[in-house]
Amino acid sequence: QQTAFGATSVDPDTPVEVESDELRVNQADGTAEFVGNVVIVQGVMRLGAPRVLVVYDEAGEKVRRMEATGGVTLVSGPDAAEAQRADYDIEAGKVRLQGDVLLVQGESTLASQDLTIDLTTGSAQMSGRVRTLLNPKN
Amino acid sequence: QQSDAPAVLVADRVWLEGQSRVIAEGAVEVMQGDVRLRAARVSYDRDSERLLIDGPIILTRGENEVIVADAAELDRDLRNGLIRSARMVINQQLQLAAARLDRVDGRYAQLTRATVSSCQVCGTRPPLWQIKARRVIHDREEMQLYFDDARMEVLGVPIFWTPRLRLPDPNQTRATGFLIPSIKRNSQLLTGVKVPYFIKMGDHRDLTLTPYLSSETTTLEWRYRQAFANGRITFEGAVSEDTLYNKGRAYVQGYGQFDLPRDFDLSFTIEAVTDDAYLTDYGYSDADLLESNVTISRVRSDEYIEARLGHYFTLRPGESNSEIPSIVGNVLYEKRLFPRLGGELRFKAEEHSHLRYSTTPGLGRDVVRLNAEALWFNTWTLPLGLRAEGLVGVHADGFITRQDALPANQSGVSPTAALTLRWPWVRNQANGVSEVIEPVMMAAWTGGSGLAVANDESTRVEFDEGNLLSLSRFPAPDRREHGLRGALGLNWTRIDPQGWDARLTFGTVYKADVDGNFSPSSGLRNSVSDLLIAGQFRNQAGLSLTARGLFNHDFNINKAEARAGWSSDRYALSASYVWLSADATENRPSNVSEWLFSSDFDLGRHLRGSLEGRYDIAADEPVSAGMGLLYANECVEVELSVSRRFASSTIVTPATDFSLTIGLRGFSAASASGRGVAKSCR
Amino acid sequence: CGFAPAYGPGGNAASVTRNIALAAPQTRLEYLLNQQIERRLGHAPGGDYQLTTAITTSDERIAVTSTNVTRRFEIVGSADYTLTGPDGAVVTQGNVGGFTGYSTTGSTVATTAARTDAQDRLMVILADQIVTRLIAAAPAS
């Protein structure tokens, strides 16, 4: 079944590259905070945000989840989504965008307060009074 | 054609499947122009641009069209598509249920195996009436409903079938077609049916033809109306062949009104009938005197102009058209000036002429009169609050009389002067009740003496509070009050915005000498007139009582009239009483006394009754009686009226008229009489 | 007993009723009503007070003979009136009513003259009632 969001599904194990202007590491709680033009790339998906907090597992090597705040844009193939914040649970392979969410896919755009993208299945579900335009195919 | 505005979808949850399917669930709303769809689940396929919709579905268009359904498949702008087990409600009145409803171009709705009714459907019981049809097409632009293979059922019982039927939808105000038929029963014309057919001729003209058929008559009634930019005309009439009269019979009644330049107004009425009894036999009119006239007039705060030419035709037994004044002409000019020295200067000039066809002297008298009048009056406030009005003026009258023994020409000038004193006393109480006691007194003198002219116009003089203080109580200048005369009166008024109002007037007129021109029953014949007593009582509960009486010297009644009215939201009652003493000069050989009573009242939520009766007390016999019942609920209006006329004469025979009208509500905007309270299911 | 001459020293009917401006008449009946009100209170087109009136009349057949000939008509009239002060506030308003009768047993011209006279008298009756209520509504200063 064709993925609904993004060109192809994303394997959660593919490595995650993170670039940012600045990095602050907090050994105590095992987190690292990237600040300034943060870009996270995993396979065909790119996530950009002004600030991303990365939380590692207890061992400290694998990234468990990321919290991007301050206006997030998520691009995968032709589709794109933006919201105020995004929480990426890497093991579950789910990205949850919240706050003024806008999903753009080809001609149609969907707006709501909450969007959950399952990167493994490629399905995208919006909730919380979703609003979209049913434009004609041209 | 595809409407340009994109359709907006809003839902609780939306997800994307594949590249072209959007699925929405939870309070889904799709809005496009004035069309709005609400459903539980909608899936939109971008390639086919189709919406697959699962119910419960509510599709509304403006406030006047609602479709409720279980499932539907519509195109993107909701204008075309198929709706399953749909129930469509137009104007919150007419319900159309169908297994399948196809929308075409947003204009047509085709319902297959449809049931149409405007009645409340209670549980499984069949509604009062419904129309079942193999197919119904609703044309939204033409506002028409077209039925194929339609069967009318009343309480579930089929009563007639028709291959094709067209009915206007509830928004339709003007469309060619049959109107509600009615059954008429009249003891002379027996039972007949009237089936009106309305023909719309553009936006400004229409013609209604109503065949009226019974065993005794073949009649066509017609009404033609036309509206112009500056006026309108309405003509109605009928043509009949019946067993009551040997020849064809017809009548026509027309009236029109036009605005002319410079604020002038033109109006005309035309009334004509072929034989005297036609109007009463068919109940077209009570008139026993047909008046046709053309009038041009203008009204301004300081000027009144009227020119009128009229023709009369009498239907009264015993009156011949050659001996009544048939052709009547009037020109009237009145001007009010307000000089610097104060008061009002009022000029009046009038030409009146009336001609009788007969040329035999006396019977065929023709009269032309020219009258001019100039009056100046002003009011001063004297010490102690006395209000004094002084009036001086002059009347000039000229008469030309032909075909009569009276002198051909008469003219005269009569100076006149009058003083009217009013002394209003007021008491304003704390509780908002105010009372006014106002003694009034008037003294007047007019020179000159009556002219030797016929009294054609002033033969019916009335005396009431309206002319207690007037200069001349004759209705027309062919008679005038001369010499010294006066009047005394007392007015009492009680005003209570929260409680009851009342007023009472006493009055008497004093004349230096008896005036034979006043008829005995007018109350003004003797030098000391009858005592006028008039009063009124009105309260917040809607009761109002107004009465007036003239009492002669030994205090028995010369004339009495009373009107009573009582209205609440459920009842309305009105009664009137009149007692006129016998007076040969007013063609009243014996006393005339009559009760008139009419009321209408609620008999429950849907039934309204009305009763009416007229009783001739002097002759101690009923004149006419009537009863009416109006049943109206949300989908049907049944009006039943019975009226009995006991009068009999050459132009009238005792007759009982009965009429029954059954109207289905929900078709055409005119059918809603506003009383249709929706029935509640019991 | 509480009564005082309306135009006397105690009453101030004069101050109110002296400068009432009437709306322009559209029909003969309104012309007659205004004529009688202005005859009683004076012509003050620029007055501070505005009086608006609305007249309704209906003709009722009375004294119908057994031969269905109508011998008399009654013109039943009522008039709503509203007096607004210089500031546009309503000083007083209300409704007055009455009826006059006229006989139709005379000749055609006698009936027409009687009907016109009945209309004139009815307007005098309604106007006099309105004037009485305006006098009563003028608060004693």
Side-chain angles (χ1 to χ4, degrees), chain A residues 1-4 6 79 103 105 107-108 110 123-138, chain B residues 6-19 22 26-31 44 46-47 49 51 76:
Chain A
Q1 177 237 12
Q2 244 190 348
T3 64
D79 306 336
L103 168 63
Q105 188 187 42
E107 287 309 313
S108 57
L110 293 95
S123 76
Q125 168 143 356
M126 304 185 77
S127 54
R129 276 339 262 174
V130 185
R131 183 181 174 79
T132 178
L133 297 184
L134 305 177
N135 333 72
K137 166 176 62 98
N138 44 20
Chain B
V8 175
L9 180 143
V10 179
D12 286 345
R13 290 175 309 286
V14 173
W15 64 91
L16 310 170
E17 266 177 17
Q19 275 306 336
V22 178
V28 183
E29 284 186 46
V30 179
M31 285 155 281
Y44 173 62
R46 259 191 230 113
D47 296 336
E49 289 186 350
L51 292 162
R76 188 184 55 72

Side-chain angles (χ1 to χ4, degrees), chain B residues 352-487:
Chain B
H352 164 89
S353 54
H354 54 267
L355 312 173
R356 295 179 170 86
Y357 289 127
S358 159
T359 55
T360 54
L363 289 176
R365 179 174 54 249
D366 303 333
V367 171
V368 177
R369 65 171 165 78
L370 292 160
N371 313 83
E373 179 185 275
L375 301 176
W376 176 82
F377 50 84
N378 196 4
T379 301
W380 293 273
T381 304
L382 307 180
L384 293 176
L386 202 60
R387 292 277 283 174
E389 181 204 81
L391 177 145
V392 288
V394 63
H395 310 283
D397 305 307
F399 286 76
I400 304 167
T401 306
R402 289 288 180 274
Q403 293 167 6
D404 194 274
L406 285 166
N409 299 307
Q410 284 281 295
S411 62
V413 175
S414 341
T416 190
L419 172 70
T420 306
L421 296 176
R422 292 172 181 268
W423 202 8
W425 291 63
V426 181
R427 168 166 72 179
N428 287 324
Q429 288 164 341
N431 55 16
V433 175
S434 42
E435 284 177 270
V436 178
I437 292 180
E438 182 191 42
V440 291
M441 191 221 82
M442 172 237 180
W445 171 81
T446 303
S449 61
L451 300 173
V453 290
N455 181 1
D456 278 342
E457 297 169 81
S458 299
T459 56
R460 298 296 184 271
V461 182
E462 299 288 331
F463 175 35
D464 57 30
E465 318 93 281
N467 62 3
L468 172 62
L469 304 175
S470 73
L471 209 49
S472 170
R473 295 171 189 86
F474 288 106
D478 61 353
R479 284 297 180 274
R480 193 183 300 287
E481 293 196 47
H482 291 279
L484 202 57
R485 61 219 181 267

Side-chain angles (χ1 to χ4, degrees), chain B residues 68-71 83-87 98-101:
Chain B
V68 174
D70 293 347
I83 300 174
R84 294 224 172 281
S85 67
R87 204 157 73 85
R100 173 189 165 123
L101 187 151

Side-chain angles (χ1 to χ4, degrees), chain A residues 75-97:
Chain A
V75 176
S76 169
D79 306 336
E82 60 183 43
Q84 276 161 14
R85 81 178 259 133
D87 294 280
Y88 181 15
D89 178 340
I90 293 190
E91 282 143 16
K94 282 196 170 53
V95 182
R96 184 159 180 225
L97 291 90

